[in-house]
């Protein structure tokens, strides 16, 4: 059965398995794939997971369920996948938090560099700084001036230690010459809730998550980390336009399985991901959310592994600059 499922997943892309699967592999295959999301439902990562999960399910001919396992700066979800059976039944979606964890936490039960097998890159997007509606001023320039004047009195929410929202706040503080007051949340969804209520000042968030609130006018779109303004956020200037070109950060999602997963299963999952990302409806939805899939030539497991390895030291330096001492993940 697994041989038929894998061949079905690959046929649409004109690929064939190099060799038939062994009986052991066939026996280990699961009928359901769990896509583990380390953050709360409603956040940017959760949104992307649900978009690709449905379409991957069609390509695989297997049920793909989304499971949110929140906590420990994504380490609970990471650990679950690192300890899962190597049969492709448990897949992790994560972003920079996976890379940052070794610099932030002392009690990891897995080795980030060796515990996972990259499946493929999903989407790449800039980060956007959003602010509560009551911040004084009328333009992004006014809001940045307010932040500079407030310095560490301005509080930044973030969706977890080591997440994109946390590291962007650290980066902005480094550029402006102060250590921002940072308030941790269990995902960007809850953080946006408090931002809307005026209980927190600022949040760096994925465009995929922040765009609806900015377009609705319920939150300010202050700055974006892309080289040029986004079509969907024409009134939000780039960080370079606001005199902060060093605040340059692109976030990306990738899929992972535990190390030791048979190559043919990784290929099948990668093929299902490619099939999902080639869906015109999905691509249009991602575009509406201010993000896009990686180019075709960067969708292989090998390209994912290269980006993973190159980003690890960059993220480690950023964490070091934050002055945060490594502690136990909780």
């Amino acid at each position: 059965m697994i041989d038929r499922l894998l061949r079905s997943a690959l046929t649409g892309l004109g690929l064939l398995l190099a060799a038939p699967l062994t009986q052991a592999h066939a026996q280990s295959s699961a009928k359901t794939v769990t896509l583990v999301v380390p953050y709360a439902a409603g956040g940017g990562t959760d949104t992307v997971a649900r978009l690709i999960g449905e379409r991957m399910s069609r390509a695989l001919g297997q049920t793909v369920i989304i499971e949110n396992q929140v906590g420990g700066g994504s380490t609970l979800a990471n650990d679950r996948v690192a300890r899962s059976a190597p049969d492709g039944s448990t897949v992790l979606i994560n972003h920079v938090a996976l890379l940052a964890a070794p610099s932030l936490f002392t009690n990891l039960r897995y080795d980030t560099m060796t515990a996972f097998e990259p499946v493929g890159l999903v989407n790449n997007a800039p980060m956007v700084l959003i602010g509560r509606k009551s911040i004084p001023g009328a333009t992004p320039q006014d809001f940045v001036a307010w932040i500079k004047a407030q310095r560490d009195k301005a509080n930044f929410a973030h969706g977890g230690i080591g997440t994109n929202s946390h590291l962007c706040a650290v980066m902005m503080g480094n550029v402006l010459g102060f250590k921002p007051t940072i308030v941790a949340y269990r995902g960007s969804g809850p953080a946006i809730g408090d931002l809307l209520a005026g209980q927190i000042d600022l949040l760096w968030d994925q465009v995929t998550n922040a765009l609806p609130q900015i377009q609705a006018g319920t939150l300010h779109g202050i700055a974006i980390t892309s080289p040029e303004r986004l079509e969907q956020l024409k009134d939000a200037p780039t960080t370079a336009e606001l005199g902060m070109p060093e605040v340059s950060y692109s976030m990306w999602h990738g899929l992972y399985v535990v190390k030791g997963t048979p190559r043919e299963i990784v290929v099948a999952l990668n093929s299902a991901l490619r099939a999902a990302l080639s869906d015109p409806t999905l691509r249009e939805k991602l575009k509406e959310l201010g993000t896009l899939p990686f180019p075709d030539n960067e969708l292989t497991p090998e390209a994912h592994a290269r980006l993973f390895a190159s980003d690890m030291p960059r993220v480690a330096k950023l964490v070091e600059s934050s002055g945060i001492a490594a502690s136990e993940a909780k």
Side-chain angles (χ1 to χ4, degrees):
M1 180 176 289
I2 183 63
D3 191 56
R4 292 199 305 273
L5 291 173
L6 292 172
R7 289 181 183 276
S8 175
L10 296 173
T11 299
L13 295 166
L15 298 174
L16 290 175
L17 293 176
L21 300 182
T22 66
Q23 184 63 29
H25 290 165
Q27 290 173 348
S28 68
S29 175
K31 294 181 180 179
T32 299
V33 174
T34 299
L35 183 52
V36 182
V37 179
Y39 313 104
T45 303
D46 180 74
T47 298
V48 171
R50 293 179 190 279
L51 286 172
I52 65 170
E54 177 187 355
R55 290 161 177 84
M56 286 183 67
S57 178
R58 298 176 202 162
L60 288 168
Q62 296 171 271
T63 300
V64 176
I65 62 173
I66 308 299
E67 187 169 318
N68 301 85
Q69 185 162 4
V70 183
S74 87
T75 62
L76 292 183
N78 301 341
D79 185 68
R80 175 182 172 184
V81 176
R83 294 175 178 274
S84 65
D87 60 3
S89 65
T90 310
V91 181
L92 174 71
I93 181 170
N94 208 345
H95 47 54
V96 71
L98 179 63
L99 285 69
S103 301
L104 290 167
F105 304 118
T106 59
N107 60 332
L108 297 185
R109 298 192 298 172
Y110 58 88
D111 183 331
T112 304
M113 287 298 296
T114 61
F116 304 100
E117 193 72 54
V119 171
L121 297 165
V122 183
N123 67 309
N124 195 10
M127 298 289 286
V128 61
L129 179 63
I130 53 179
R132 58 178 169 84
K133 197 65 176 174
S134 55
I135 290 178
T139 67
Q141 289 77 9
D142 294 337
F143 306 142
V144 171
W146 178 83
I147 295 170
K148 290 178 179 178
Q150 292 293 307
R151 297 180 64 80
D152 59 0
K153 293 180 182 178
N155 47 58
F156 287 74
H158 69 75
I161 293 292
T163 61
N164 302 282
S165 53
H166 170 228
L167 296 181
C168 275
V170 170
M171 185 182 293
M172 186 175 185
N174 289 344
V175 170
L176 297 182
F178 67 90
K179 289 192 178 297
T181 297
I182 300 178
V183 183
Y185 286 80
R186 293 172 70 86
S188 58
I192 284 184
D194 274 4
L195 202 64
L196 289 166
Q199 297 175 4
I200 203 83
D201 295 322
L202 302 154
L203 169 68
W204 280 100
D205 200 9
Q206 303 173 37
V207 172
T208 51
N209 203 37
L211 188 60
Q213 299 294 345
I214 299 172
Q215 292 178 329
T218 54
L219 294 173
H220 292 304
I222 299 174
I224 194 162
T225 61
S226 53
E228 300 177 353
R229 295 194 187 196
L230 286 187
E231 180 181 344
Q232 300 89 334
L233 290 175
K234 292 182 178 179
D235 293 332
T238 67
T239 50
E241 289 179 78
L242 294 171
M244 301 180 292
E246 302 88 348
V247 183
S248 176
Y249 197 94
S250 176
M251 67 79 56
W252 50 267
H253 285 108
L255 299 186
Y256 306 84
V257 290
V258 64
K259 198 75 170 182
T261 300
R263 172 67 181 175
E264 54 266 30
I265 293 179
V266 174
V267 169
L269 289 169
N270 176 266
S271 297
L273 174 63
R274 285 171 173 263
L277 294 176
S278 68
D279 182 279
T281 302
L282 173 61
R283 296 181 71 89
E284 185 60 31
K285 181 63 177 176
L286 289 175
K287 182 179 179 181
E288 290 173 4
L289 293 171
T291 182
L292 289 173
F294 277 81
D296 288 343
N297 64 342
E298 296 179 31
L299 291 178
T300 64
E302 292 75 19
H304 184 181
R306 287 192 295 271
L307 181 58
F308 185 91
S310 66
D311 257 14
M312 278 283 288
R314 182 178 72 91
V315 171
K317 289 180 181 179
L318 190 53
V319 172
E320 181 181 0
S321 74
S322 73
I324 296 175
S327 60
E328 288 193 2
K330 299 178 181 179

